[in-house]
Amino acid sequence: VVRRAPRTAAKQRLRLWLRLLRAARVIEAALRERLRLTFSLTLPQFDVLAALARSATGASMTELSRALRDAGVLVVSPD
């Protein structure tokens, strides 16, 4: 009988985060595929539409850019 050392709490937490990350990737891939097949949309296109839908009166380009940046969709690099 081979005995393994008990896992440390830190190692268990790391394994849990890795499993969570893997699950998130699988869910995102499925979402991308469903958007593509059902609506002929990419995920970034959907994000733009969702940002516009959240605004009751529409949004200016600046407001749209800010909403996408705050959601992590738009990454602005400093010049």
Side-chain angles (χ1 to χ4, degrees):
V1 175
V2 177
R3 292 188 147 206
R4 294 181 357 191
R7 290 188 180 143
T8 64
K11 193 171 189 176
Q12 286 178 331
R13 283 193 302 269
L14 177 60
R15 289 175 60 86
L16 180 61
W17 275 111
L18 291 173
R19 288 179 66 195
L20 182 61
L21 180 59
R22 199 173 310 123
R25 283 189 196 150
V26 168
I27 291 168
E28 183 178 336
L31 177 62
R32 285 179 184 274
E33 184 70 6
R34 183 171 285 186
L35 283 170
R36 186 181 67 77
L37 293 174
T38 306
F39 302 107
S40 298
L41 285 176
T42 64
L43 188 55
Q45 290 169 329
F46 175 82
D47 288 332
V48 169
L49 291 174
L52 289 171
R54 283 191 292 273
S55 176
T57 60
S60 69
M61 290 299 289
T62 301
E63 292 166 335
L64 180 59
S65 174
R66 186 174 297 124
L68 294 172
R69 185 195 64 218
D70 292 347
V73 174
L74 180 66
V75 178
V76 180
S77 61
D79 291 331

